[in-house]
Amino acid sequence: MRMIFMRLLFLSMFAMTIGGCADIDPITPGPVNPGSADFTRYVAVGNSLTAGVQSGGLVDKFQNVSFPALIAESARLGAFEMPLVSEPGIPALLNLEQILPTPIINPLPGPDGSPTNLMFPGIYNNLGIPGALLHDLRVRRPNPVDAFGLVLRDTTLGPTAIAQALNAQPTFVTAWMGANDILGSASMGTDLGLTDVTFFENEYRAAINALNAGAGAMVTANLPDITAIPFFTTIPWFVVDPVTRQPVLDPQNNVIPLIGPGPANLVPGTLVTLRASASLAQGIGIPVALGGTGNPLPDTEVINPTELANIQTRLGEFNAIIDSICTNRGVPVVDMFAFFNGIKANGIMLHGNKFTADFISGGLFSLDGVHPSSLGYLIVAREFIRVINANFGASLPDPPLPLTSGMAAAMARSISPLEYVAAMPPGAFDGVVRMLSGSNYR
């Protein structure tokens, strides 16, 4: 997904406070012991979440901290081959150009990056394909103009992602599949494009049966809740003052709704996606009396409560299918639904600092609001590692923190990110924000 966020209004910035939340201080360290799992030929199958997409694009420095690459590092696998892309990425990564008074995010200038590992003679270890639906992983063949061509390259290696994974004769597989069967529709503000339940069940069973039969061992993950993802939760359904970041109230002390499709005023329970940022910056969706155009937000930028209920129901059905199929085959499932909902509710502690699901300031999501930041992928990798350790008698250690030396030193001193920022010289503030959000460094 690629979006240009011209001016992101209505953000609650830099609210990193320490409170009750989960702690992800390191897994007990020790010698690397894979237990009954064999990582000699580890292959990861999935979509952009597996590929390591951040801030709307694929680029080598972020691919190298994708959760499968971090698992491979923890398992001391050595070479873990990926379809690496040079900077500024494919497509060019989003970049935080300004933080105050309102954030400005645009793609990096210049042409897109280029593949740098196309000539690798074998099958990549990371077969995460950005944009892939569950069905695509079983049937879509490489096309030189899309991500399937970038990752799969040549049908002689196998005609599909599942086929290539099996042809690699994997000793261990991670398969995080199906997120786009929800997100593809929800990101466009509708429930009409959700994958059919029976079709999803049949496709998931076929994929798991094939991978489970061909791999020495395997771990999967279920799907996160869209309401735990900042792309869907950052902008409220009512008007907020872009300076004070407080709700604008009417004479009766009530919030003033944004104008949505219809046109009609939005109601509680409506999600306004980050896609609406550019519209709101132009006054679209804002009443004339408050300086707006009075024109409604497009339907593609809003999820109404009925649509949201249908999306949530379908998500629950998909996760029940994943749990049932995998449990019946003895395949462990990482509960990403519960994990990310826990982060949304309480945040997560790391070395005495709290990180949250807040857009930009939370530190766990990149600038597209959907994909994790480098730190976010680290905690995803840790969840996979915890499940691997628990189910295979393994003792894989944590991968290292993907932080700059300055921030790592600050965290080692147990001071908060805000204290670190306050101690910085003028002009260095934006660099910390980029680091926390997984943005491109410039």
mmCIF file with all atom_site columns, all heavy atoms in Angstrom, residues 1 12 23 36 50 54 56 63 81 92 137 140 143 162 207 221 226 240 246 279 357 369 400 407:
data_model
loop_
_atom_site.group_PDB
_atom_site.id
_atom_site.type_symbol
_atom_site.label_atom_id
_atom_site.label_alt_id
_atom_site.label_comp_id
_atom_site.label_asym_id
_atom_site.label_entity_id
_atom_site.label_seq_id
_atom_site.pdbx_PDB_ins_code
_atom_site.Cartn_x
_atom_site.Cartn_y
_atom_site.Cartn_z
_atom_site.occupancy
_atom_site.B_iso_or_equiv
_atom_site.pdbx_formal_charge
_atom_site.auth_seq_id
_atom_site.auth_comp_id
_atom_site.auth_asym_id
_atom_site.auth_atom_id
_atom_site.pdbx_PDB_model_num
ATOM 1   N N   . MET A 1 1   ? 0.846   -1.178  0.000   1.00 0.00 ? 1   MET A N   1
ATOM 2   C CA  . MET A 1 1   ? 0.000   0.000   0.000   1.00 0.00 ? 1   MET A CA  1
ATOM 3   C C   . MET A 1 1   ? 0.885   1.231   0.000   1.00 0.00 ? 1   MET A C   1
ATOM 4   O O   . MET A 1 1   ? 1.822   1.340   0.767   1.00 0.00 ? 1   MET A O   1
ATOM 5   C CB  . MET A 1 1   ? -0.854  -0.025  1.272   1.00 0.00 ? 1   MET A CB  1
ATOM 6   C CG  . MET A 1 1   ? -1.760  1.136   1.461   1.00 0.00 ? 1   MET A CG  1
ATOM 7   S SD  . MET A 1 1   ? -2.522  0.998   3.078   1.00 0.00 ? 1   MET A SD  1
ATOM 8   C CE  . MET A 1 1   ? -3.179  -0.644  3.001   1.00 0.00 ? 1   MET A CE  1
ATOM 9   N N   . SER A 1 12  ? -2.294  12.612  18.442  1.00 0.00 ? 12  SER A N   1
ATOM 10  C CA  . SER A 1 12  ? -1.874  12.824  19.826  1.00 0.00 ? 12  SER A CA  1
ATOM 11  C C   . SER A 1 12  ? -0.405  12.451  19.896  1.00 0.00 ? 12  SER A C   1
ATOM 12  O O   . SER A 1 12  ? -0.048  11.287  20.021  1.00 0.00 ? 12  SER A O   1
ATOM 13  C CB  . SER A 1 12  ? -2.700  11.935  20.764  1.00 0.00 ? 12  SER A CB  1
ATOM 14  O OG  . SER A 1 12  ? -4.059  12.279  20.681  1.00 0.00 ? 12  SER A OG  1
ATOM 15  N N   . ASP A 1 23  ? 5.662   -6.486  29.422  1.00 0.00 ? 23  ASP A N   1
ATOM 16  C CA  . ASP A 1 23  ? 7.092   -6.224  29.409  1.00 0.00 ? 23  ASP A CA  1
ATOM 17  C C   . ASP A 1 23  ? 7.754   -7.196  28.438  1.00 0.00 ? 23  ASP A C   1
ATOM 18  O O   . ASP A 1 23  ? 7.514   -8.392  28.505  1.00 0.00 ? 23  ASP A O   1
ATOM 19  C CB  . ASP A 1 23  ? 7.664   -6.428  30.824  1.00 0.00 ? 23  ASP A CB  1
ATOM 20  C CG  . ASP A 1 23  ? 9.059   -5.824  30.974  1.00 0.00 ? 23  ASP A CG  1
ATOM 21  O OD1 . ASP A 1 23  ? 9.825   -5.895  30.005  1.00 0.00 ? 23  ASP A OD1 1
ATOM 22  O OD2 . ASP A 1 23  ? 9.349   -5.298  32.058  1.00 0.00 ? 23  ASP A OD2 1
ATOM 23  N N   . SER A 1 36  ? 13.778  -29.597 19.043  1.00 0.00 ? 36  SER A N   1
ATOM 24  C CA  . SER A 1 36  ? 13.393  -30.519 17.976  1.00 0.00 ? 36  SER A CA  1
ATOM 25  C C   . SER A 1 36  ? 13.187  -29.820 16.643  1.00 0.00 ? 36  SER A C   1
ATOM 26  O O   . SER A 1 36  ? 12.869  -30.471 15.647  1.00 0.00 ? 36  SER A O   1
ATOM 27  C CB  . SER A 1 36  ? 12.113  -31.269 18.367  1.00 0.00 ? 36  SER A CB  1
ATOM 28  O OG  . SER A 1 36  ? 11.040  -30.355 18.581  1.00 0.00 ? 36  SER A OG  1
ATOM 29  N N   . THR A 1 50  ? 5.545   -10.518 6.201   1.00 0.00 ? 50  THR A N   1
ATOM 30  C CA  . THR A 1 50  ? 6.675   -11.444 6.186   1.00 0.00 ? 50  THR A CA  1
ATOM 31  C C   . THR A 1 50  ? 7.855   -10.854 5.429   1.00 0.00 ? 50  THR A C   1
ATOM 32  O O   . THR A 1 50  ? 9.014   -11.011 5.827   1.00 0.00 ? 50  THR A O   1
ATOM 33  C CB  . THR A 1 50  ? 6.252   -12.781 5.564   1.00 0.00 ? 50  THR A CB  1
ATOM 34  O OG1 . THR A 1 50  ? 5.268   -13.400 6.408   1.00 0.00 ? 50  THR A OG1 1
ATOM 35  C CG2 . THR A 1 50  ? 7.423   -13.727 5.372   1.00 0.00 ? 50  THR A CG2 1
ATOM 36  N N   . GLN A 1 54  ? 8.109   -1.685  5.267   1.00 0.00 ? 54  GLN A N   1
ATOM 37  C CA  . GLN A 1 54  ? 7.943   -0.580  6.202   1.00 0.00 ? 54  GLN A CA  1
ATOM 38  C C   . GLN A 1 54  ? 7.677   0.691   5.415   1.00 0.00 ? 54  GLN A C   1
ATOM 39  O O   . GLN A 1 54  ? 8.188   0.851   4.301   1.00 0.00 ? 54  GLN A O   1
ATOM 40  C CB  . GLN A 1 54  ? 9.192   -0.357  7.065   1.00 0.00 ? 54  GLN A CB  1
ATOM 41  C CG  . GLN A 1 54  ? 9.461   -1.406  8.109   1.00 0.00 ? 54  GLN A CG  1
ATOM 42  C CD  . GLN A 1 54  ? 10.520  -0.948  9.098   1.00 0.00 ? 54  GLN A CD  1
ATOM 43  O OE1 . GLN A 1 54  ? 10.503  0.198   9.572   1.00 0.00 ? 54  GLN A OE1 1
ATOM 44  N NE2 . GLN A 1 54  ? 11.442  -1.835  9.429   1.00 0.00 ? 54  GLN A NE2 1
ATOM 45  N N   . GLY A 1 56  ? 5.519   1.881   3.587   1.00 0.00 ? 56  GLY A N   1
ATOM 46  C CA  . GLY A 1 56  ? 4.967   1.803   2.246   1.00 0.00 ? 56  GLY A CA  1
ATOM 47  C C   . GLY A 1 56  ? 5.844   1.163   1.202   1.00 0.00 ? 56  GLY A C   1
ATOM 48  O O   . GLY A 1 56  ? 5.457   1.113   0.033   1.00 0.00 ? 56  GLY A O   1
ATOM 49  N N   . GLN A 1 63  ? 14.302  -4.995  5.095   1.00 0.00 ? 63  GLN A N   1
ATOM 50  C CA  . GLN A 1 63  ? 14.179  -6.436  4.873   1.00 0.00 ? 63  GLN A CA  1
ATOM 51  C C   . GLN A 1 63  ? 15.078  -7.201  5.841   1.00 0.00 ? 63  GLN A C   1
ATOM 52  O O   . GLN A 1 63  ? 14.723  -8.289  6.298   1.00 0.00 ? 63  GLN A O   1
ATOM 53  C CB  . GLN A 1 63  ? 14.548  -6.779  3.430   1.00 0.00 ? 63  GLN A CB  1
ATOM 54  C CG  . GLN A 1 63  ? 13.540  -6.271  2.397   1.00 0.00 ? 63  GLN A CG  1
ATOM 55  C CD  . GLN A 1 63  ? 14.045  -6.470  0.973   1.00 0.00 ? 63  GLN A CD  1
ATOM 56  O OE1 . GLN A 1 63  ? 14.845  -5.686  0.476   1.00 0.00 ? 63  GLN A OE1 1
ATOM 57  N NE2 . GLN A 1 63  ? 13.579  -7.529  0.330   1.00 0.00 ? 63  GLN A NE2 1
ATOM 58  N N   . GLU A 1 81  ? 18.552  -15.818 2.529   1.00 0.00 ? 81  GLU A N   1
ATOM 59  C CA  . GLU A 1 81  ? 18.459  -15.094 1.265   1.00 0.00 ? 81  GLU A CA  1
ATOM 60  C C   . GLU A 1 81  ? 17.092  -14.444 1.085   1.00 0.00 ? 81  GLU A C   1
ATOM 61  O O   . GLU A 1 81  ? 16.053  -15.056 1.364   1.00 0.00 ? 81  GLU A O   1
ATOM 62  C CB  . GLU A 1 81  ? 18.736  -16.036 0.095   1.00 0.00 ? 81  GLU A CB  1
ATOM 63  C CG  . GLU A 1 81  ? 20.130  -16.650 0.108   1.00 0.00 ? 81  GLU A CG  1
ATOM 64  C CD  . GLU A 1 81  ? 21.237  -15.625 -0.111  1.00 0.00 ? 81  GLU A CD  1
ATOM 65  O OE1 . GLU A 1 81  ? 20.930  -14.516 -0.602  1.00 0.00 ? 81  GLU A OE1 1
ATOM 66  O OE2 . GLU A 1 81  ? 22.409  -15.944 0.189   1.00 0.00 ? 81  GLU A OE2 1
ATOM 67  N N   . ALA A 1 92  ? 9.219   3.871   -3.495  1.00 0.00 ? 92  ALA A N   1
ATOM 68  C CA  . ALA A 1 92  ? 10.040  4.708   -2.624  1.00 0.00 ? 92  ALA A CA  1
ATOM 69  C C   . ALA A 1 92  ? 9.378   4.871   -1.261  1.00 0.00 ? 92  ALA A C   1
ATOM 70  O O   . ALA A 1 92  ? 8.173   5.124   -1.153  1.00 0.00 ? 92  ALA A O   1
ATOM 71  C CB  . ALA A 1 92  ? 10.259  6.076   -3.265  1.00 0.00 ? 92  ALA A CB  1
ATOM 72  N N   . LEU A 1 137 ? -0.922  -17.121 -2.930  1.00 0.00 ? 137 LEU A N   1
ATOM 73  C CA  . LEU A 1 137 ? 0.263   -17.886 -2.553  1.00 0.00 ? 137 LEU A CA  1
ATOM 74  C C   . LEU A 1 137 ? 0.232   -19.291 -3.131  1.00 0.00 ? 137 LEU A C   1
ATOM 75  O O   . LEU A 1 137 ? 1.280   -19.919 -3.329  1.00 0.00 ? 137 LEU A O   1
ATOM 76  C CB  . LEU A 1 137 ? 0.385   -17.948 -1.028  1.00 0.00 ? 137 LEU A CB  1
ATOM 77  C CG  . LEU A 1 137 ? 0.580   -16.600 -0.328  1.00 0.00 ? 137 LEU A CG  1
ATOM 78  C CD1 . LEU A 1 137 ? 0.520   -16.765 1.181   1.00 0.00 ? 137 LEU A CD1 1
ATOM 79  C CD2 . LEU A 1 137 ? 1.909   -15.961 -0.734  1.00 0.00 ? 137 LEU A CD2 1
ATOM 80  N N   . ARG A 1 140 ? -0.745  -17.904 -7.891  1.00 0.00 ? 140 ARG A N   1
ATOM 81  C CA  . ARG A 1 140 ? -0.185  -16.859 -8.752  1.00 0.00 ? 140 ARG A CA  1
ATOM 82  C C   . ARG A 1 140 ? 1.244   -17.143 -9.140  1.00 0.00 ? 140 ARG A C   1
ATOM 83  O O   . ARG A 1 140 ? 2.083   -17.507 -8.314  1.00 0.00 ? 140 ARG A O   1
ATOM 84  C CB  . ARG A 1 140 ? -0.282  -15.491 -8.077  1.00 0.00 ? 140 ARG A CB  1
ATOM 85  C CG  . ARG A 1 140 ? -1.659  -14.886 -8.239  1.00 0.00 ? 140 ARG A CG  1
ATOM 86  C CD  . ARG A 1 140 ? -1.713  -13.440 -7.886  1.00 0.00 ? 140 ARG A CD  1
ATOM 87  N NE  . ARG A 1 140 ? -0.860  -12.588 -8.691  1.00 0.00 ? 140 ARG A NE  1
ATOM 88  C CZ  . ARG A 1 140 ? -0.829  -11.273 -8.574  1.00 0.00 ? 140 ARG A CZ  1
ATOM 89  N NH1 . ARG A 1 140 ? -1.612  -10.676 -7.699  1.00 0.00 ? 140 ARG A NH1 1
ATOM 90  N NH2 . ARG A 1 140 ? -0.022  -10.561 -9.325  1.00 0.00 ? 140 ARG A NH2 1
ATOM 91  N N   . ASN A 1 143 ? 5.298   -12.580 -12.227 1.00 0.00 ? 143 ASN A N   1
ATOM 92  C CA  . ASN A 1 143 ? 5.056   -11.599 -13.273 1.00 0.00 ? 143 ASN A CA  1
ATOM 93  C C   . ASN A 1 143 ? 6.153   -10.553 -13.155 1.00 0.00 ? 143 ASN A C   1
ATOM 94  O O   . ASN A 1 143 ? 6.358   -10.001 -12.074 1.00 0.00 ? 143 ASN A O   1
ATOM 95  C CB  . ASN A 1 143 ? 3.670   -10.968 -13.100 1.00 0.00 ? 143 ASN A CB  1
ATOM 96  C CG  . ASN A 1 143 ? 3.309   -10.005 -14.204 1.00 0.00 ? 143 ASN A CG  1
ATOM 97  O OD1 . ASN A 1 143 ? 4.156   -9.283  -14.721 1.00 0.00 ? 143 ASN A OD1 1
ATOM 98  N ND2 . ASN A 1 143 ? 2.037   -9.963  -14.566 1.00 0.00 ? 143 ASN A ND2 1
ATOM 99  N N   . ILE A 1 162 ? 3.912   -21.259 -2.629  1.00 0.00 ? 162 ILE A N   1
ATOM 100 C CA  . ILE A 1 162 ? 3.836   -22.521 -1.896  1.00 0.00 ? 162 ILE A CA  1
ATOM 101 C C   . ILE A 1 162 ? 4.714   -23.569 -2.572  1.00 0.00 ? 162 ILE A C   1
ATOM 102 O O   . ILE A 1 162 ? 5.442   -24.323 -1.904  1.00 0.00 ? 162 ILE A O   1
ATOM 103 C CB  . ILE A 1 162 ? 2.385   -23.008 -1.796  1.00 0.00 ? 162 ILE A CB  1
ATOM 104 C CG1 . ILE A 1 162 ? 1.516   -21.997 -1.031  1.00 0.00 ? 162 ILE A CG1 1
ATOM 105 C CG2 . ILE A 1 162 ? 2.321   -24.385 -1.137  1.00 0.00 ? 162 ILE A CG2 1
ATOM 106 C CD1 . ILE A 1 162 ? 1.852   -21.841 0.426   1.00 0.00 ? 162 ILE A CD1 1
ATOM 107 N N   . ALA A 1 207 ? -3.231  -24.879 1.811   1.00 0.00 ? 207 ALA A N   1
ATOM 108 C CA  . ALA A 1 207 ? -1.881  -24.341 2.010   1.00 0.00 ? 207 ALA A CA  1
ATOM 109 C C   . ALA A 1 207 ? -1.198  -25.003 3.203   1.00 0.00 ? 207 ALA A C   1
ATOM 110 O O   . ALA A 1 207 ? -0.028  -25.413 3.120   1.00 0.00 ? 207 ALA A O   1
ATOM 111 C CB  . ALA A 1 207 ? -1.945  -22.831 2.195   1.00 0.00 ? 207 ALA A CB  1
ATOM 112 N N   . ALA A 1 221 ? 0.672   -17.975 12.316  1.00 0.00 ? 221 ALA A N   1
ATOM 113 C CA  . ALA A 1 221 ? 0.147   -16.896 13.157  1.00 0.00 ? 221 ALA A CA  1
ATOM 114 C C   . ALA A 1 221 ? -1.242  -16.531 12.658  1.00 0.00 ? 221 ALA A C   1
ATOM 115 O O   . ALA A 1 221 ? -1.538  -16.664 11.465  1.00 0.00 ? 221 ALA A O   1
ATOM 116 C CB  . ALA A 1 221 ? 1.060   -15.677 13.116  1.00 0.00 ? 221 ALA A CB  1
ATOM 117 N N   . ILE A 1 226 ? -7.976  -4.990  12.944  1.00 0.00 ? 226 ILE A N   1
ATOM 118 C CA  . ILE A 1 226 ? -7.701  -3.708  12.291  1.00 0.00 ? 226 ILE A CA  1
ATOM 119 C C   . ILE A 1 226 ? -7.799  -2.551  13.271  1.00 0.00 ? 226 ILE A C   1
ATOM 120 O O   . ILE A 1 226 ? -7.162  -1.511  13.072  1.00 0.00 ? 226 ILE A O   1
ATOM 121 C CB  . ILE A 1 226 ? -8.595  -3.462  11.064  1.00 0.00 ? 226 ILE A CB  1
ATOM 122 C CG1 . ILE A 1 226 ? -10.048 -3.212  11.469  1.00 0.00 ? 226 ILE A CG1 1
ATOM 123 C CG2 . ILE A 1 226 ? -8.499  -4.595  10.062  1.00 0.00 ? 226 ILE A CG2 1
ATOM 124 C CD1 . ILE A 1 226 ? -10.891 -2.647  10.337  1.00 0.00 ? 226 ILE A CD1 1
ATOM 125 N N   . VAL A 1 240 ? -11.049 17.993  15.206  1.00 0.00 ? 240 VAL A N   1
ATOM 126 C CA  . VAL A 1 240 ? -10.054 18.271  16.235  1.00 0.00 ? 240 VAL A CA  1
ATOM 127 C C   . VAL A 1 240 ? -9.264  19.498  15.816  1.00 0.00 ? 240 VAL A C   1
ATOM 128 O O   . VAL A 1 240 ? -8.936  19.669  14.637  1.00 0.00 ? 240 VAL A O   1
ATOM 129 C CB  . VAL A 1 240 ? -9.117  17.062  16.427  1.00 0.00 ? 240 VAL A CB  1
ATOM 130 C CG1 . VAL A 1 240 ? -7.973  17.389  17.378  1.00 0.00 ? 240 VAL A CG1 1
ATOM 131 C CG2 . VAL A 1 240 ? -9.896  15.856  16.924  1.00 0.00 ? 240 VAL A CG2 1
ATOM 132 N N   . GLN A 1 246 ? -7.165  19.160  20.510  1.00 0.00 ? 246 GLN A N   1
ATOM 133 C CA  . GLN A 1 246 ? -8.329  18.876  21.334  1.00 0.00 ? 246 GLN A CA  1
ATOM 134 C C   . GLN A 1 246 ? -9.590  18.927  20.472  1.00 0.00 ? 246 GLN A C   1
ATOM 135 O O   . GLN A 1 246 ? -9.629  19.629  19.463  1.00 0.00 ? 246 GLN A O   1
ATOM 136 C CB  . GLN A 1 246 ? -8.438  19.901  22.473  1.00 0.00 ? 246 GLN A CB  1
ATOM 137 C CG  . GLN A 1 246 ? -7.264  19.867  23.441  1.00 0.00 ? 246 GLN A CG  1
ATOM 138 C CD  . GLN A 1 246 ? -7.117  18.523  24.107  1.00 0.00 ? 246 GLN A CD  1
ATOM 139 O OE1 . GLN A 1 246 ? -8.088  17.974  24.636  1.00 0.00 ? 246 GLN A OE1 1
ATOM 140 N NE2 . GLN A 1 246 ? -5.903  17.975  24.082  1.00 0.00 ? 246 GLN A NE2 1
ATOM 141 N N   . SER A 1 279 ? -7.299  14.632  2.334   1.00 0.00 ? 279 SER A N   1
ATOM 142 C CA  . SER A 1 279 ? -8.618  15.257  2.191   1.00 0.00 ? 279 SER A CA  1
ATOM 143 C C   . SER A 1 279 ? -8.856  16.269  3.300   1.00 0.00 ? 279 SER A C   1
ATOM 144 O O   . SER A 1 279 ? -9.292  17.409  3.051   1.00 0.00 ? 279 SER A O   1
ATOM 145 C CB  . SER A 1 279 ? -9.710  14.188  2.220   1.00 0.00 ? 279 SER A CB  1
ATOM 146 O OG  . SER A 1 279 ? -9.608  13.318  1.112   1.00 0.00 ? 279 SER A OG  1
ATOM 147 N N   . ALA A 1 357 ? 0.761   1.619   20.250  1.00 0.00 ? 357 ALA A N   1
ATOM 148 C CA  . ALA A 1 357 ? 0.255   1.550   18.883  1.00 0.00 ? 357 ALA A CA  1
ATOM 149 C C   . ALA A 1 357 ? -0.082  2.915   18.317  1.00 0.00 ? 357 ALA A C   1
ATOM 150 O O   . ALA A 1 357 ? -0.666  3.007   17.233  1.00 0.00 ? 357 ALA A O   1
ATOM 151 C CB  . ALA A 1 357 ? -0.983  0.647   18.834  1.00 0.00 ? 357 ALA A CB  1
ATOM 152 N N   . GLY A 1 369 ? 1.389   3.310   8.695   1.00 0.00 ? 369 GLY A N   1
ATOM 153 C CA  . GLY A 1 369 ? 0.351   3.060   9.680   1.00 0.00 ? 369 GLY A CA  1
ATOM 154 C C   . GLY A 1 369 ? -0.162  1.636   9.704   1.00 0.00 ? 369 GLY A C   1
ATOM 155 O O   . GLY A 1 369 ? -1.022  1.311   10.523  1.00 0.00 ? 369 GLY A O   1
ATOM 156 N N   . PRO A 1 400 ? 18.915  -8.811  18.313  1.00 0.00 ? 400 PRO A N   1
ATOM 157 C CA  . PRO A 1 400 ? 19.326  -7.531  18.897  1.00 0.00 ? 400 PRO A CA  1
ATOM 158 C C   . PRO A 1 400 ? 18.328  -6.430  18.599  1.00 0.00 ? 400 PRO A C   1
ATOM 159 O O   . PRO A 1 400 ? 17.587  -6.482  17.619  1.00 0.00 ? 400 PRO A O   1
ATOM 160 C CB  . PRO A 1 400 ? 20.675  -7.255  18.226  1.00 0.00 ? 400 PRO A CB  1
ATOM 161 C CG  . PRO A 1 400 ? 20.576  -7.974  16.915  1.00 0.00 ? 400 PRO A CG  1
ATOM 162 C CD  . PRO A 1 400 ? 19.771  -9.217  17.194  1.00 0.00 ? 400 PRO A CD  1
ATOM 163 N N   . MET A 1 407 ? 20.100  6.026   20.787  1.00 0.00 ? 407 MET A N   1
ATOM 164 C CA  . MET A 1 407 ? 18.869  5.640   21.453  1.00 0.00 ? 407 MET A CA  1
ATOM 165 C C   . MET A 1 407 ? 19.091  4.411   22.318  1.00 0.00 ? 407 MET A C   1
ATOM 166 O O   . MET A 1 407 ? 18.560  4.307   23.422  1.00 0.00 ? 407 MET A O   1
ATOM 167 C CB  . MET A 1 407 ? 17.781  5.360   20.406  1.00 0.00 ? 407 MET A CB  1
ATOM 168 C CG  . MET A 1 407 ? 16.407  5.146   21.016  1.00 0.00 ? 407 MET A CG  1
ATOM 169 S SD  . MET A 1 407 ? 15.848  6.613   21.909  1.00 0.00 ? 407 MET A SD  1
ATOM 170 C CE  . MET A 1 407 ? 14.314  5.993   22.590  1.00 0.00 ? 407 MET A CE  1
#
